[in-house]
Amino acid sequence: MKKIKISSLALLMVSTISLNIGCGAEDKNIVAQNDKIILETEKIENEEVSSQNDKTILETEENRNKEVSPQNNKTILETKHSNADMSFISGDGLIYYNPHLGVITGYYGKITSVIIPDTIDGVKIIAIANKAFLSCNSLTDISIPYGVTSINTSAFIGCDSLTDISIPNSVTSIEGAFIGCTSLSNITLPDSVTSIGAGIFSDCASLKAINVGSGNPSYTSENGILFNKDKTSILAYPKGLQNIEYTIPNSVTSIGKHAFAYCGNLTNVIIPNSVTSIGDSAFLSCRDLTAITIPESVISIGDSAFNGCNSLTNITIPDGVASIGKLTFNSCNRLSNITIPDSVTFISEDAFSNCSKSNLTIKCGANSYAKFYAIENNIPSVNN
């Protein structure tokens, strides 16, 4: 029995040693495997692009030759100039681009006349990024290559010397790209454009015509004024037009956001009974606007709709409108009379901010929301 016990103990020790030897081998394999992972990780960390960006790059490259929707282009459009970008010489300056995404991201120095190539060092250019040419005051003209599909928000904002821009028939999306381009006199949107951001041409003081390709499925132009295709929505009235009065066509049911923003020459806009909504900032800073009649058909007035209309003296809100939103009549310094119906059940506390409230009178129902608003805000009121 004792011999058997010794043999069993020896067998147990041998098994334990064998097990340890086996584990050691596995440990070595694990260590080697971990060393490989560590080395690969260090390699990735030393590269300029993270694994997440690599995924985006691969997905973008797969779709470069496909039609990409604005939603799928979100990553591209939000790309900003970084130290990883490459550049090419233009005039006395540089144009930066992202070599992985094919996006123009920024500039440096004095650039005047720019022709962006469709391909740079084998990289196909497909987008102009957010604020790429922000306040580039020396830029006078730019040619965008075929293949670009997106021009992002504020891409050319404040380019006050820009007089000519060529948009190719591959661009599908343009956001608020040309705000403050005060020297731009006309522009043509090609047939390919199907998405335009609000206020795209705001404060373009010299703009007299927004032209649209005859085959465009989404937009049209009449006398240089931009509408949606079936002319049910007016989208942009060029600020450079010298007319003092404008009559909106009877086909229009909505006045778009920023549609008449900064149109300083207009003194009167005639709105037809077909219109049911007035968008945010629709008449923002129309400083000479003295007369406007809102028809009874209107049931919605957006925030800041008449913000900065400091020549406006009288206005009647139609019965059916439920609310007067933020900054709707902000800085309407000469507004002296406003009629508010019982249908209004909400008025933003800043709806009449920076108005001369001592000279303003609200005409409303004796038990209406507007009456209580006037009392609470120390605005004189009279009953209907």
Side-chain angles (χ1 to χ4, degrees), residues 312-323:
L312 197 63
T313 57
N314 298 277
I315 197 162
T316 297
I317 305 297
D319 194 11
V321 172
S323 64

Side-chain angles (χ1 to χ4, degrees), residues 90-107:
S90 178
D92 293 328
L94 298 173
I95 306 291
Y96 294 102
Y97 67 97
N98 185 305
H100 305 293
L101 298 175
V103 180
I104 299 297
T105 57
Y107 75 96

